[in-house]
Amino acid sequence: MKTIAVIGGGITGVTTAYALAKRGFAVTLIEKHRYAAMDTSFANGGQLSASNSEVWNHWSTMLKGIKWMLKSDAPLLVNPKPSWHKLTWFAEFIAAIPHYNKNTVETVRLAIAARQHLYAWAEEEGIDFDLKQKGILHIYRDKAGFDHAASVSTLLAQGGLERRAVTPAEMRAIEPTLAGKYYGGHFTQSDATGDIHKFTSGLAAAIARLGVDCRYGQDVQAISADAGGASITVGSGDQTSTSRFDGVVICAGSASRALGAALGDRVNIYPVKGYSITVNLNDAQSQAAAPTVSLLDDATKLVCSRFGADRFRVAGTAEFNGYNRDIRADRIRPIVEWVEQCFPGVSTRSVVPWAGLRPMMPNMLPRVGRGRLPCVFYNTGHGHLGWTLSAVTADMIGDVVAQALGARAPHSSALQTAAA
Protein backbone atom coordinates (compact mmCIF):
# COMPACT_ATOMS: atom_id res chain seq x y z
CA MET A 1 0.00 0.00 0.00
CA LYS A 2 1.43 3.38 -1.02
CA THR A 3 2.02 5.87 1.77
CA ILE A 4 1.01 9.52 1.27
CA ALA A 5 1.53 12.49 3.56
CA VAL A 6 -0.93 15.39 3.38
CA ILE A 7 0.43 18.58 4.91
CA GLY A 8 -2.33 20.83 6.22
CA GLY A 9 -5.43 20.08 8.27
CA GLY A 10 -7.77 22.74 6.94
CA ILE A 11 -10.66 22.16 4.54
CA THR A 12 -8.32 21.41 1.63
CA GLY A 13 -6.07 19.02 3.50
CA VAL A 14 -8.87 17.09 5.20
CA THR A 15 -10.87 16.67 1.98
CA THR A 16 -7.67 15.59 0.20
CA ALA A 17 -6.93 13.02 2.90
CA TYR A 18 -10.49 11.73 2.58
CA ALA A 19 -10.25 11.39 -1.21
CA LEU A 20 -6.90 9.59 -0.96
CA ALA A 21 -8.07 7.23 1.80
CA LYS A 22 -11.08 6.31 -0.34
CA ARG A 23 -8.64 5.39 -3.11
CA GLY A 24 -6.79 2.93 -0.92
CA PHE A 25 -3.73 4.95 0.11
CA ALA A 26 -2.20 4.79 3.58
CA VAL A 27 -2.60 8.46 4.44
CA THR A 28 -0.89 10.51 7.13
CA LEU A 29 -2.31 13.99 7.81
CA ILE A 30 0.15 16.46 9.34
CA GLU A 31 -1.28 19.60 10.97
CA LYS A 32 0.51 22.15 13.16
CA HIS A 33 -2.56 22.96 15.26
CA ARG A 34 -4.01 20.72 17.93
CA TYR A 35 -7.21 20.18 15.91
CA ALA A 36 -8.36 20.34 12.31
CA ALA A 37 -9.72 23.57 10.81
CA MET A 38 -8.17 25.96 13.34
CA ASP A 39 -6.65 28.40 10.86
CA THR A 40 -8.20 29.81 7.65
CA SER A 41 -10.95 27.17 7.80
CA PHE A 42 -12.14 28.32 11.21
CA ALA A 43 -14.60 31.20 10.64
CA ASN A 44 -15.07 32.18 7.01
CA GLY A 45 -18.22 33.63 5.42
CA GLY A 46 -19.84 30.23 5.02
CA GLN A 47 -20.88 30.58 1.38
CA LEU A 48 -20.75 27.63 -1.01
CA SER A 49 -20.95 30.15 -3.79
CA ALA A 50 -20.57 29.24 -7.43
CA SER A 51 -22.04 32.70 -8.05
CA ASN A 52 -18.90 34.28 -6.54
CA SER A 53 -16.61 32.63 -9.09
CA GLU A 54 -15.64 35.86 -10.85
CA VAL A 55 -11.86 36.10 -10.65
CA TRP A 56 -10.38 39.37 -9.42
CA ASN A 57 -8.05 39.85 -12.41
CA HIS A 58 -9.74 42.95 -13.79
CA TRP A 59 -8.50 46.50 -14.29
CA SER A 60 -11.32 47.80 -12.09
CA THR A 61 -9.85 45.83 -9.16
CA MET A 62 -6.47 47.51 -9.66
CA LEU A 63 -8.07 50.96 -9.80
CA LYS A 64 -10.04 50.33 -6.62
CA GLY A 65 -6.90 49.11 -4.86
CA ILE A 66 -5.04 52.31 -5.75
CA LYS A 67 -8.02 54.48 -4.80
CA TRP A 68 -8.42 52.79 -1.41
CA MET A 69 -4.72 52.40 -0.54
CA LEU A 70 -4.70 55.03 2.21
CA LYS A 71 -8.22 54.37 3.52
CA SER A 72 -7.99 52.10 6.57
CA ASP A 73 -11.60 50.86 6.36
CA ALA A 74 -11.57 50.18 2.60
CA PRO A 75 -12.92 46.82 1.41
CA LEU A 76 -9.64 46.24 -0.46
CA LEU A 77 -6.52 47.47 1.36
CA VAL A 78 -2.96 47.21 0.06
CA ASN A 79 -0.08 48.03 2.36
CA PRO A 80 2.08 50.34 0.21
CA LYS A 81 5.29 49.00 1.73
CA PRO A 82 6.98 47.07 -1.10
CA SER A 83 8.28 43.52 -0.95
CA TRP A 84 9.63 41.28 -3.70
CA HIS A 85 6.89 38.73 -2.98
CA LYS A 86 4.13 41.31 -3.28
CA LEU A 87 5.62 42.90 -6.42
CA THR A 88 6.00 39.59 -8.26
CA TRP A 89 2.50 38.52 -7.21
CA PHE A 90 0.90 41.70 -8.54
CA ALA A 91 2.92 41.48 -11.76
CA GLU A 92 1.51 38.00 -12.37
CA PHE A 93 -1.94 39.19 -11.30
CA ILE A 94 -1.82 41.88 -14.02
CA ALA A 95 -0.48 39.37 -16.55
CA ALA A 96 -3.57 37.21 -15.92
CA ILE A 97 -6.05 40.01 -16.69
CA PRO A 98 -6.39 38.93 -20.36
CA HIS A 99 -7.56 35.52 -19.07
CA TYR A 100 -10.33 37.00 -16.89
CA ASN A 101 -13.18 35.49 -18.94
CA LYS A 102 -11.65 32.05 -19.34
CA ASN A 103 -10.61 31.74 -15.70
CA THR A 104 -14.01 32.89 -14.43
CA VAL A 105 -15.76 30.26 -16.55
CA GLU A 106 -13.33 27.56 -15.39
CA THR A 107 -13.83 28.52 -11.75
CA VAL A 108 -17.63 28.30 -11.96
CA ARG A 109 -17.36 24.88 -13.62
CA LEU A 110 -15.26 23.68 -10.69
CA ALA A 111 -17.65 25.21 -8.16
CA ILE A 112 -20.69 23.48 -9.64
CA ALA A 113 -18.90 20.13 -9.74
CA ALA A 114 -17.78 20.52 -6.13
CA ARG A 115 -21.35 20.47 -4.80
CA GLN A 116 -22.10 16.86 -5.66
CA HIS A 117 -18.97 15.66 -3.87
CA LEU A 118 -19.40 17.77 -0.74
CA TYR A 119 -23.08 16.97 -0.27
CA ALA A 120 -22.49 13.26 -0.91
CA TRP A 121 -19.59 13.09 1.54
CA ALA A 122 -21.57 14.88 4.25
CA GLU A 123 -24.48 12.47 3.80
CA GLU A 124 -22.26 9.39 3.72
CA GLU A 125 -20.39 10.40 6.89
CA GLY A 126 -23.37 11.88 8.74
CA ILE A 127 -21.89 15.38 9.07
CA ASP A 128 -24.15 18.16 10.35
CA PHE A 129 -22.66 21.50 9.30
CA ASP A 130 -25.67 23.83 9.32
CA LEU A 131 -26.21 23.40 5.58
CA LYS A 132 -28.79 25.85 4.27
CA GLN A 133 -29.78 25.48 0.59
CA LYS A 134 -31.70 28.73 0.15
CA GLY A 135 -29.57 30.42 -2.51
CA ILE A 136 -27.35 33.51 -2.44
CA LEU A 137 -28.54 37.04 -3.20
CA HIS A 138 -26.03 39.58 -4.55
CA ILE A 139 -27.14 43.13 -3.74
CA TYR A 140 -26.27 46.36 -5.62
CA ARG A 141 -26.81 49.97 -4.64
CA ASP A 142 -26.23 51.55 -8.07
CA LYS A 143 -26.72 50.88 -11.77
CA ALA A 144 -23.01 50.49 -12.51
CA GLY A 145 -22.60 47.61 -10.07
CA PHE A 146 -25.84 45.99 -11.20
CA ASP A 147 -24.85 46.22 -14.88
CA HIS A 148 -21.40 44.75 -14.21
CA ALA A 149 -23.10 41.86 -12.42
CA ALA A 150 -25.20 41.24 -15.52
CA SER A 151 -22.03 40.82 -17.59
CA VAL A 152 -20.65 38.46 -14.96
CA SER A 153 -23.87 36.44 -15.09
CA THR A 154 -23.23 35.89 -18.80
CA LEU A 155 -19.84 34.34 -17.97
CA LEU A 156 -21.34 32.25 -15.18
CA ALA A 157 -23.93 30.93 -17.63
CA GLN A 158 -21.12 29.79 -19.93
CA GLY A 159 -19.87 27.68 -17.02
CA GLY A 160 -23.34 26.21 -16.45
CA LEU A 161 -24.67 28.39 -13.63
CA GLU A 162 -28.09 30.03 -13.67
CA ARG A 163 -28.21 33.43 -11.94
CA ARG A 164 -31.14 35.80 -12.47
CA ALA A 165 -31.56 39.53 -12.03
CA VAL A 166 -34.15 40.60 -9.44
CA THR A 167 -35.88 43.90 -8.69
CA PRO A 168 -35.83 45.60 -5.27
CA ALA A 169 -39.32 44.24 -4.64
CA GLU A 170 -38.18 40.72 -5.48
CA MET A 171 -35.17 41.19 -3.20
CA ARG A 172 -37.54 41.97 -0.32
CA ALA A 173 -39.54 38.86 -1.08
CA ILE A 174 -36.36 36.73 -1.08
CA GLU A 175 -35.03 38.24 2.17
CA PRO A 176 -37.62 40.37 4.02
CA THR A 177 -35.26 41.37 6.85
CA LEU A 178 -32.89 43.34 4.58
CA ALA A 179 -33.08 47.11 5.20
CA GLY A 180 -31.89 49.93 2.94
CA LYS A 181 -32.37 51.11 -0.64
CA TYR A 182 -30.99 49.10 -3.54
CA TYR A 183 -30.94 49.39 -7.31
CA GLY A 184 -31.41 45.65 -7.75
CA GLY A 185 -29.86 42.26 -7.22
CA HIS A 186 -28.86 38.95 -8.75
CA PHE A 187 -30.06 35.69 -7.20
CA THR A 188 -28.57 32.19 -7.49
CA GLN A 189 -31.06 29.63 -6.23
CA SER A 190 -28.62 26.71 -6.42
CA ASP A 191 -26.02 28.20 -4.06
CA ALA A 192 -25.84 27.27 -0.39
CA THR A 193 -24.17 28.01 2.92
CA GLY A 194 -22.68 26.00 5.74
CA ASP A 195 -20.23 26.12 8.63
CA ILE A 196 -16.78 25.24 7.26
CA HIS A 197 -15.37 24.49 10.71
CA LYS A 198 -18.15 22.04 11.58
CA PHE A 199 -17.84 20.29 8.20
CA THR A 200 -14.04 20.01 8.35
CA SER A 201 -14.14 18.77 11.94
CA GLY A 202 -16.76 16.19 10.99
CA LEU A 203 -14.76 14.99 8.00
CA ALA A 204 -11.60 14.88 10.13
CA ALA A 205 -13.41 12.41 12.40
CA ALA A 206 -14.42 10.44 9.30
CA ILE A 207 -10.85 10.13 7.97
CA ALA A 208 -9.72 8.88 11.37
CA ARG A 209 -12.39 6.16 11.13
CA LEU A 210 -11.04 5.32 7.66
CA GLY A 211 -7.60 4.73 9.13
CA VAL A 212 -5.86 8.01 8.33
CA ASP A 213 -3.02 8.70 10.75
CA CYS A 214 -3.86 12.22 11.94
CA ARG A 215 -0.82 13.85 13.49
CA TYR A 216 -2.00 17.07 15.10
CA GLY A 217 0.26 19.53 16.87
CA GLN A 218 3.08 18.63 14.47
CA ASP A 219 4.86 21.50 12.75
CA VAL A 220 6.89 20.70 9.63
CA GLN A 221 10.53 21.56 10.35
CA ALA A 222 12.06 20.26 7.14
CA ILE A 223 10.94 18.60 3.93
CA SER A 224 12.84 17.05 1.05
CA ALA A 225 12.09 14.70 -1.81
CA ASP A 226 13.72 12.70 -4.55
CA ALA A 227 12.55 10.36 -7.27
CA GLY A 228 11.73 7.68 -4.72
CA GLY A 229 9.72 9.59 -2.13
CA ALA A 230 9.56 12.39 0.40
CA SER A 231 11.12 12.83 3.84
CA ILE A 232 9.33 15.05 6.36
CA THR A 233 10.68 16.18 9.70
CA VAL A 234 8.11 17.38 12.18
CA GLY A 235 8.47 18.87 15.64
CA SER A 236 6.36 19.24 18.75
CA GLY A 237 8.07 21.15 21.52
CA ASP A 238 11.66 19.89 21.77
CA GLN A 239 10.88 16.60 20.06
CA THR A 240 11.45 16.01 16.33
CA SER A 241 10.97 12.98 14.14
CA THR A 242 11.46 12.20 10.46
CA SER A 243 9.22 9.96 8.36
CA ARG A 244 9.50 8.71 4.80
CA PHE A 245 6.54 8.55 2.40
CA ASP A 246 5.95 7.44 -1.17
CA GLY A 247 4.40 10.82 -1.91
CA VAL A 248 3.34 14.12 -0.37
CA VAL A 249 0.46 16.50 -1.11
CA ILE A 250 0.94 20.12 -0.04
CA CYS A 251 -2.35 21.58 1.24
CA ALA A 252 -0.83 24.07 3.65
CA GLY A 253 -2.57 27.29 2.64
CA SER A 254 -0.30 30.32 2.79
CA ALA A 255 2.56 28.14 4.07
CA SER A 256 2.53 26.21 0.78
CA ARG A 257 4.83 28.77 -0.83
CA ALA A 258 7.73 28.02 1.52
CA LEU A 259 7.13 24.26 1.41
CA GLY A 260 7.04 24.37 -2.38
CA ALA A 261 10.32 26.27 -2.49
CA ALA A 262 11.96 23.61 -0.31
CA LEU A 263 10.80 21.00 -2.85
CA GLY A 264 12.06 22.97 -5.84
CA ASP A 265 8.67 24.32 -6.96
CA ARG A 266 7.54 27.91 -7.33
CA VAL A 267 4.08 28.31 -5.77
CA ASN A 268 3.47 32.05 -5.77
CA ILE A 269 0.75 32.21 -3.12
CA TYR A 270 0.11 35.49 -1.34
CA PRO A 271 -1.68 35.59 2.05
CA VAL A 272 -4.69 37.89 1.58
CA LYS A 273 -6.19 38.61 4.98
CA GLY A 274 -9.93 38.53 5.46
CA TYR A 275 -12.01 39.33 8.52
CA SER A 276 -15.23 38.00 9.93
CA ILE A 277 -17.55 38.48 12.86
CA THR A 278 -19.86 35.91 14.36
CA VAL A 279 -22.94 37.59 15.79
CA ASN A 280 -24.52 35.55 18.56
CA LEU A 281 -28.29 35.87 18.27
CA ASN A 282 -29.08 35.61 21.96
CA ASP A 283 -32.64 36.95 21.92
CA ALA A 284 -35.80 36.26 19.98
CA GLN A 285 -35.85 39.70 18.35
CA SER A 286 -32.34 39.25 16.90
CA GLN A 287 -33.18 35.77 15.67
CA ALA A 288 -36.25 37.11 13.86
CA ALA A 289 -34.37 40.13 12.44
CA ALA A 290 -31.38 38.21 11.05
CA PRO A 291 -31.50 36.98 7.45
CA THR A 292 -31.98 33.35 6.52
CA VAL A 293 -30.87 33.83 2.89
CA SER A 294 -27.16 34.42 2.33
CA LEU A 295 -26.14 37.80 0.88
CA LEU A 296 -23.15 39.28 -0.91
CA ASP A 297 -22.85 43.08 -0.89
CA ASP A 298 -20.64 43.93 -3.85
CA ALA A 299 -19.95 47.53 -2.79
CA THR A 300 -18.57 46.59 0.62
CA LYS A 301 -17.24 43.14 -0.40
CA LEU A 302 -19.06 41.55 2.54
CA VAL A 303 -20.98 38.29 2.69
CA CYS A 304 -23.29 36.96 5.38
CA SER A 305 -24.63 33.53 6.28
CA ARG A 306 -27.01 32.21 8.92
CA PHE A 307 -25.88 29.19 10.95
CA GLY A 308 -28.77 27.57 12.74
CA ALA A 309 -31.08 29.63 14.92
CA ASP A 310 -28.57 31.52 17.00
CA ARG A 311 -25.51 32.44 14.88
CA PHE A 312 -25.00 34.93 12.07
CA ARG A 313 -21.65 35.23 10.25
CA VAL A 314 -20.49 38.28 8.29
CA ALA A 315 -17.14 38.17 6.48
CA GLY A 316 -15.12 39.81 3.77
CA THR A 317 -12.60 42.53 2.92
CA ALA A 318 -9.18 41.85 1.45
CA GLU A 319 -5.95 43.06 2.99
CA PHE A 320 -2.55 42.69 1.30
CA ASN A 321 -0.30 43.03 4.34
CA GLY A 322 1.99 40.00 4.32
CA TYR A 323 1.67 37.27 6.94
CA ASN A 324 0.07 39.61 9.45
CA ARG A 325 -2.78 37.99 11.42
CA ASP A 326 -3.67 40.90 13.69
CA ILE A 327 -7.39 41.55 14.20
CA ARG A 328 -7.61 45.30 13.63
CA ALA A 329 -10.43 47.25 15.24
CA ASP A 330 -10.60 49.66 12.28
CA ARG A 331 -11.27 46.69 9.97
CA ILE A 332 -13.85 45.02 12.24
CA ARG A 333 -15.83 48.19 12.96
CA PRO A 334 -17.21 48.60 9.38
CA ILE A 335 -18.43 45.00 9.43
CA VAL A 336 -20.36 45.56 12.64
CA GLU A 337 -21.76 48.83 11.24
CA TRP A 338 -22.89 46.97 8.11
CA VAL A 339 -24.94 44.62 10.28
CA GLU A 340 -26.49 47.54 12.14
CA GLN A 341 -27.41 49.31 8.87
CA CYS A 342 -28.71 46.31 6.92
CA PHE A 343 -30.33 44.44 9.83
CA PRO A 344 -31.12 47.08 12.47
CA GLY A 345 -33.13 44.66 14.59
CA VAL A 346 -30.10 42.44 15.23
CA SER A 347 -28.30 43.07 18.51
CA THR A 348 -24.51 43.45 18.17
CA ARG A 349 -23.84 43.12 21.90
CA SER A 350 -22.22 39.71 21.41
CA VAL A 351 -19.81 39.78 18.46
CA VAL A 352 -16.77 37.52 18.04
CA PRO A 353 -14.14 38.91 15.59
CA TRP A 354 -11.69 36.77 13.61
CA ALA A 355 -9.08 37.14 10.87
CA GLY A 356 -7.56 34.57 8.52
CA LEU A 357 -5.15 34.47 5.58
CA ARG A 358 -6.61 33.38 2.25
CA PRO A 359 -3.96 31.61 0.13
CA MET A 360 -4.25 33.27 -3.29
CA MET A 361 -2.53 32.48 -6.56
CA PRO A 362 -2.10 35.45 -8.92
CA ASN A 363 -4.50 34.04 -11.54
CA MET A 364 -7.10 33.19 -8.85
CA LEU A 365 -7.09 29.49 -9.81
CA PRO A 366 -5.97 26.88 -7.28
CA ARG A 367 -2.74 24.99 -7.86
CA VAL A 368 -3.89 21.40 -8.30
CA GLY A 369 -1.47 18.91 -9.77
CA ARG A 370 2.06 17.53 -9.80
CA GLY A 371 5.25 19.19 -8.71
CA ARG A 372 8.70 18.99 -10.28
CA LEU A 373 9.43 15.65 -8.63
CA PRO A 374 7.23 12.58 -9.33
CA CYS A 375 6.25 12.14 -5.66
CA VAL A 376 5.24 15.75 -4.99
CA PHE A 377 1.70 17.09 -5.50
CA TYR A 378 -0.20 20.30 -4.71
CA ASN A 379 -3.77 21.13 -3.81
CA THR A 380 -3.55 24.70 -2.57
CA GLY A 381 -4.04 28.37 -3.40
CA HIS A 382 -7.85 28.42 -3.43
CA GLY A 383 -8.11 32.03 -2.26
CA HIS A 384 -11.59 33.17 -1.26
CA LEU A 385 -13.19 29.99 -2.68
CA GLY A 386 -11.50 27.28 -0.64
CA TRP A 387 -14.77 26.19 0.99
CA THR A 388 -16.61 26.27 -2.33
CA LEU A 389 -13.99 24.36 -4.37
CA SER A 390 -12.47 22.04 -1.78
CA ALA A 391 -14.38 18.85 -2.54
CA VAL A 392 -13.79 18.86 -6.28
CA THR A 393 -10.10 19.75 -6.09
CA ALA A 394 -9.64 16.96 -3.54
CA ASP A 395 -11.25 14.55 -5.98
CA MET A 396 -9.06 15.89 -8.78
CA ILE A 397 -5.80 15.53 -6.86
CA GLY A 398 -6.92 12.09 -5.75
CA ASP A 399 -7.08 11.07 -9.40
CA VAL A 400 -3.70 12.65 -10.15
CA VAL A 401 -1.97 10.88 -7.26
CA ALA A 402 -3.65 7.58 -8.09
CA GLN A 403 -2.52 7.80 -11.69
CA ALA A 404 1.03 8.70 -10.70
CA LEU A 405 1.45 6.13 -7.94
CA GLY A 406 -0.75 3.35 -9.19
CA ALA A 407 -3.65 3.24 -6.73
CA ARG A 408 -7.28 2.85 -7.69
CA ALA A 409 -9.38 5.91 -8.62
CA PRO A 410 -13.03 4.95 -7.98
CA HIS A 411 -14.44 8.48 -8.16
CA SER A 412 -12.63 9.69 -11.27
CA SER A 413 -13.45 13.29 -12.17
CA ALA A 414 -14.29 14.42 -15.67
CA LEU A 415 -12.64 17.76 -14.99
CA GLN A 416 -9.08 18.51 -15.97
CA THR A 417 -6.50 19.63 -13.41
CA ALA A 418 -6.59 23.39 -12.91
CA ALA A 419 -3.37 25.38 -13.03
CA ALA A 420 -1.23 22.25 -12.91
Side-chain angles (χ1 to χ4, degrees), residues 279-283 286-287 290 306 308-312 346-347 350:
V279 183
N280 293 313
L281 306 172
N282 294 328
D283 57 85
S286 293
Q287 292 175 11
R306 181 75 172 268
D310 58 0
R311 289 188 302 146
F312 175 41
V346 172
S347 170
S350 178

Side-chain angles (χ1 to χ4, degrees), residues 83-284:
S83 71
W84 181 248
H85 184 194
K86 190 188 300 180
L87 291 172
T88 59
W89 192 93
F90 274 110
E92 292 181 34
F93 178 92
I94 292 170
I97 288 177
H99 307 294
Y100 163 84
N101 286 4
K102 177 176 69 69
N103 288 348
T104 294
V105 172
E106 174 62 14
T107 302
V108 74
R109 288 179 62 242
L110 290 172
I112 293 170
R115 294 172 179 163
Q116 59 183 333
H117 298 295
L118 189 142
Y119 296 158
W121 295 350
E123 183 176 358
E124 182 176 351
E125 304 300 340
I127 302 172
D128 175 12
F129 62 105
D130 292 325
L131 175 65
K132 193 177 293 293
Q133 294 174 282
K134 298 188 67 172
I136 293 178
L137 175 64
H138 289 224
I139 61 177
Y140 301 92
R141 291 175 169 79
D142 56 41
K143 185 178 186 299
F146 181 82
D147 289 346
H148 175 74
S151 66
V152 174
S153 292
T154 301
L155 292 177
L156 300 180
Q158 291 178 29
L161 185 73
E162 180 182 349
R163 185 171 80 160
R164 62 185 175 91
V166 291
T167 66
E170 290 171 317
M171 292 170 61
R172 304 290 183 203
I174 293 169
E175 183 45 70
T177 65
L178 177 63
K181 295 182 178 180
Y182 302 93
Y183 183 87
H186 287 260
F187 183 59
T188 309
Q189 182 69 59
S190 59
D191 275 343
T193 59
D195 187 328
I196 187 174
H197 182 73
K198 290 182 70 173
F199 178 87
T200 309
S201 298
L203 197 65
I207 64 174
R209 292 194 299 269
L210 289 172
V212 173
D213 180 8
C214 297
R215 300 180 184 178
Y216 295 113
Q218 301 290 311
D219 196 20
V220 175
Q221 304 288 328
I223 185 169
S224 62
D226 52 39
S231 296
I232 303 173
T233 300
V234 299
S236 178
D238 296 330
Q239 303 296 317
T240 63
S241 63
T242 300
S243 301
R244 182 77 172 174
F245 302 93
D246 294 315
V248 59
V249 186
I250 307 299
C251 305
S254 297
S256 300
R257 178 174 178 262
L259 292 171
L263 295 167
D265 293 311
R266 185 171 184 273
V267 185
N268 196 16
I269 284 173
Y270 194 89
V272 181
K273 183 160 62 172
Y275 294 84
S276 79
I277 60 171
T278 301
V279 183
N280 293 313
L281 306 172
N282 294 328
D283 57 85

Side-chain angles (χ1 to χ4, degrees), residues 21 27 41 61 115 131 134 168 272 337 356 396 401:
V27 182
S41 299
T61 306
R115 294 172 179 163
L131 175 65
K134 298 188 67 172
V272 181
E337 291 173 349
M396 291 162 62
V401 175

